[in-house]
Amino acid sequence: MEKRRRLARWLRGDGIEIGALHHPLAVPATARVTYVDRLPEQELRRHYQELASEKFAPVTMIGNAEDLSAFSDNSQDFVIANHLLEHLEDPIRALVEFHRVLRPDGVLYMALPDPRANFDRDRQLTTLAHLLEEHRSGTDKNRLAHYLDWAQQADNDEQPERRAATLMAMDYSIHFHVWLPDTFLEFLLAARHEAQLDLELAAFAPPESPEDNEFIVILLKGASRQIRLPSPVPWWHLLDRSVWQRIRRRGDEDLLTRHNDRNGRTDCRGG
């Protein structure tokens, strides 16, 4: 997806992606990713039987977003959490952990589903008061209500109480929370104040086409008196797709030169 690739320019150095499953983020060559999940791959496949035919990202560290104790403070250049926060009962706790493990100037890359484009479309948006109350008082008392709402509004099960009890016993990873882009930004501001998180909004991208079902937020750890920017776009990313495919297939240096000359570009592969 072009939007994901564009915003992945913020990523470089060593970092982690949590809960990637079968959709790991494509990152620049300057970024090295360790994949973290709450279960080993074999158990993940048992949990998500609907993904049996999919290739998973290689999980090398066991952990979850709310407990990254396997990683020391200020140890990561970036944290990727795509389609993750909506699965967490206490997303503020996860933001605290992300903030802890990020180095100063570290990047938090988060993509979240827009409920208008998926099975959450008929569910109520999660209120800020609800999120703050669960963070302060715990999530146990509301857990069954979350599963019941999911069974009724997302699964449309004819026996929602039984379905909710089954999913809860499995510890199945439902969408506990539902945000629109603007309500998520409202949540971020409140979470930053609630947990005293030193995170700066660097980029935001709402859905950009009818097929685009997510919004993306980029946060940076720590304040800066200078504007912080992502890495420049490599010149080959600007080539027409058809030209780039022909260059890769044929190794046609003359074709590349002709394309650069025609478009006023300089071949900057040299030192």
Side-chain angles (χ1 to χ4, degrees):
M1 186 184 295
E2 173 58 31
K3 182 174 72 179
R4 281 195 171 200
R5 185 177 69 168
R6 184 175 75 243
L7 291 170
R9 292 162 45 210
W10 285 94
L11 305 175
R12 52 187 173 268
D14 298 296
I16 58 176
E17 180 168 5
I18 308 164
L21 293 177
H22 60 306
H23 280 309
L25 181 67
V27 300
T30 53
R32 296 166 295 277
V33 185
T34 296
Y35 294 101
V36 181
D37 218 309
R38 62 194 183 117
L39 298 169
E41 181 176 337
Q42 186 175 3
E43 293 182 43
L44 287 172
R45 290 192 176 278
R46 284 199 295 268
H47 195 75
Y48 300 105
Q49 295 182 19
E50 66 273 22
L51 303 179
S53 63
E54 302 287 350
K55 181 179 179 181
F56 281 21
V59 176
T60 55
M61 293 292 290
I62 302 301
N64 64 67
E66 296 165 275
D67 180 10
L68 294 173
S69 55
F71 300 93
S72 58
D73 296 358
N74 305 309
S75 61
Q76 303 300 310
D77 293 308
F78 60 85
V79 172
I80 303 167
N82 288 339
H83 291 247
L84 176 66
L85 254 64
E86 68 275 10
H87 290 276
L88 305 179
E89 294 183 78
D90 183 1
I92 297 177
R93 183 178 171 188
L95 291 173
V96 171
E97 277 292 87
F98 299 162
H99 182 270
R100 180 185 66 79
V101 302
L102 281 171
R103 295 188 178 108
D105 292 321
V107 177
L108 175 54
Y109 182 116
M110 296 186 293
L112 292 103
D114 191 307
R116 296 167 292 190
N118 64 29
F119 41 73
D120 286 329
R121 62 176 56 87
D122 294 326
R123 301 177 68 198
Q124 293 293 314
L125 299 176
T126 305
T127 67
L128 183 56
H130 176 87
L131 289 157
L132 291 173
E133 192 273 334
E134 287 200 325
H135 178 66
R136 294 167 181 170
S137 303
T139 60
D140 290 349
K141 67 179 181 179
N142 292 327
R143 183 169 296 125
L144 180 57
H146 281 295
Y147 277 100
L148 184 58
D149 176 66
W150 173 270
Q152 292 172 327
Q153 303 297 330
D155 277 354
N156 295 308
D157 198 280
E158 294 181 355
Q159 296 181 296
E161 291 83 4
R162 186 176 70 176
R163 176 65 172 164
T166 299
L167 293 173
M168 188 169 166
M170 293 171 58
D171 192 26
Y172 193 82
S173 183
I174 65 169
H175 286 190
F176 286 96
H177 304 297
V178 181
W179 291 285
L180 289 173
D182 58 340
T183 65
F184 183 75
L185 291 177
E186 179 187 23
F187 159 69
L188 276 182
L189 290 174
R192 187 171 65 175
H193 176 76
E194 175 74 15
Q196 297 298 297
L197 303 176
D198 192 8
L199 293 170
E200 176 186 331
L201 179 65
F204 173 76
E208 297 177 351
S209 72
E211 298 76 30
D212 187 356
N213 64 2
E214 66 184 13
F215 54 94
I216 299 176
V217 178
I218 303 292
L219 301 173
L220 304 179
K221 181 176 179 179
S224 175
R225 290 187 173 274
Q226 296 182 333
I227 296 175
R228 292 176 284 189
L229 298 171
S231 299
V233 180
W235 61 269
W236 56 86
H237 284 186
L238 302 177
L239 293 177
D240 299 335
R241 181 178 296 274
S242 60
V243 173
W244 179 236
Q245 288 174 340
R246 289 163 65 191
I247 292 169
R248 293 188 65 187
R249 183 168 59 249
R250 294 168 50 187
D252 193 336
E253 299 295 329
D254 290 337
L255 177 63
L256 178 59
T257 301
R258 290 196 302 272
H259 184 81
N260 285 339
D261 291 344
R262 185 167 59 250
N263 290 278
R265 296 184 186 132
T266 301
D267 185 346
C268 57
R269 289 168 298 166

